Amino acid sequence: MGERVVVLGAGFAGLELATTLSEEFGDDIDVVLIDRSEGFVFGFSKLDVMFGRTDAAHVRHPYSDLDLPGVRFVSADVTAIDAAARRVETTAGPFEADHLVIALGADYAPERTVGLIEEGHDFYSESGAFALQRTLAEFAGGDVVIGITAGPFKCPPAPSETALLLDALLRERGVREASTISLVMPFPRPIPPSPDASAAILEAFDQRGISWHPETNVRRLENGVAHLGDGSELPFDLYLGVPIHRVPAVVEQSGLTVDGWIPVDPKTLETPWPDVYAVGDCAAVGTPRAGVFAERQGATAARRIASRIRAEETDAAYDGRGVCYIEFGAEAIGRVEVSFFEGRPNGRLEGPSLALAADKAEFGASRIRRWFGREWAPVG
């Protein structure tokens, strides 16, 4: 058996990295892929479940289905990381690595926003989004606030998508006129790196009567009122919140962070510790915390690890590129491609259109085909 690569986290980055190394080396490598979850779920699938398009079982892809040569999946919690020694402690025992990759993502801290747990709903976690399917199915209309407590947060388009999808849902029910929808965001525009997409979203908000509150945040919830950072207040019957994001506690406790995130070379994804990489949402790369960016980071780290194993030089570098899809409601999809390492980011919007729905569906289907070796339709 070849060199051991231990990958902590089986999200976009971890799955793409493990798959790439499997393709490169087959059974001549020992990739240990560790995750505490039962399976992988796309971020956009959480909205599909939340709005009743499908169910949780359909969108969860069990890690037990993984069948990649040279890769073994370990279901466990990571309890300690010694980056200098490339050794990790887990609930399944210790693992030592020739190459260590930290891809543990970002966790949520709803307890850090007063009243969020007691009065609101988190729609970013799997459990929160899945539970909201019933809540939204029973919601008879009223004042809705979609609130962000702080940045950075995963998938910047998701709060705007939620507002537009909720508008469509309430119109279908005939209760939109008796309802309000407000979106609170600490950014000057909905999609900061894309003026085109932001303008299209704000136009859609204006057409549909969605209230936009930029450059502020939700500080606390109290007795059915969201108190904002600019001193204003928004009453609500339903609060959908994006909790504060942070690195997993084990990453912080292991002394790996600077200013809250793992420092890396943005081109190579290398940390200050030799043969230790950090990719995805837990790393300070300088790109949005979204799966499409994490996936490309995982692929870059895999190519660099492969070159190290072969004792070859490589020019493999992360390019900071990504494509994201934006739901506009009524099955219309927008597509934005942006690069963060080629001058000032300026993502251009394609659509929204019904035709791009097939493009988005193939995006999801192609990843499941590649990582899990089976066919899948995002909504089924």
Side-chain angles (χ1 to χ4, degrees), residues 130-304:
F130 293 171
L132 273 164
Q133 184 181 77
R134 180 172 180 178
T135 301
L136 292 183
E138 297 175 349
F139 185 60
D143 296 321
V144 183
V145 175
I146 301 165
I148 293 142
T149 48
F153 59 93
K154 300 179 186 180
C155 193
S160 299
E161 293 178 294
T162 300
L164 292 166
L165 291 171
L166 184 61
D167 171 84
L169 181 69
L170 297 181
R171 289 184 190 279
E172 289 173 9
R173 292 210 186 121
V175 296
R176 181 64 179 93
E177 295 303 318
S179 304
T180 65
I181 301 173
S182 301
L183 174 58
V184 180
M185 187 178 289
F187 301 149
R189 55 192 183 212
I191 313 293
S194 177
D196 285 356
S198 294
I201 288 171
L202 291 176
E203 181 180 358
F205 286 175
D206 186 60
Q207 291 172 348
R208 302 172 200 189
I210 296 170
S211 179
W212 163 242
H213 300 264
E215 299 187 274
T216 188
N217 65 337
V218 174
R219 295 291 179 86
R220 72 182 191 279
L221 309 181
E222 187 176 4
N223 298 323
V225 177
H227 296 263
L228 309 191
D230 61 8
S232 60
E233 300 176 353
L234 291 172
F236 62 85
D237 298 295
L238 176 64
Y239 181 87
L240 305 177
V242 179
I244 290 172
H245 288 34
R246 67 181 184 193
V247 293
V250 65
V251 174
E252 188 170 25
Q253 292 165 2
S254 298
L256 305 180
T257 62
V258 173
D259 296 328
W261 306 96
I262 303 175
V264 297
D265 181 316
K267 293 287 190 179
T268 67
L269 292 316
E270 295 168 341
T271 69
W273 300 274
D275 291 308
V276 178
Y277 302 77
V279 292
D281 295 341
C282 65
V285 182
T287 57
R289 287 175 166 83
V292 291
F293 295 96
E295 177 185 7
R296 293 175 80 94
Q297 292 167 27
T300 299
R303 291 194 295 271
R304 296 194 70 85

Side-chain angles (χ1 to χ4, degrees), residues 343-360:
R344 186 174 181 177
N346 187 13
R348 296 187 62 83
L349 174 68
E350 179 183 355
S353 72
L354 298 178
L356 284 171
D359 197 57
K360 178 185 175 182

Side-chain angles (χ1 to χ4, degrees), residues 302-377:
R303 291 194 295 271
R304 296 194 70 85
I305 290 169
S307 295
R308 289 278 290 174
I309 291 172
R310 294 184 175 120
E312 298 173 349
E313 294 293 324
T314 180
D315 59 0
Y318 175 54
D319 60 9
R321 289 183 172 274
V323 173
C324 70
Y325 296 90
I326 305 172
E327 293 262 9
F328 278 80
E331 300 184 6
I333 304 292
R335 182 179 186 272
V336 177
E337 183 171 2
V338 61
S339 173
F340 284 80
F341 296 167
E342 298 174 2
R344 186 174 181 177
N346 187 13
R348 296 187 62 83
L349 174 68
E350 179 183 355
S353 72
L354 298 178
L356 284 171
D359 197 57
K360 178 185 175 182
E362 177 55 23
F363 170 86
S366 65
R367 270 64 184 177
I368 298 308
R369 191 181 304 124
R370 172 170 169 75
W371 298 333
F372 291 88
R374 62 180 176 85
E375 294 301 318
W376 176 73

Side-chain angles (χ1 to χ4, degrees), residues 6-27:
V6 175
V7 184
L8 309 182
F12 267 89
L15 285 170
E16 181 60 23
L17 187 143
T19 302
T20 301
L21 290 176
S22 177
E23 290 175 337
E24 288 278 337
F25 296 99
D27 289 325

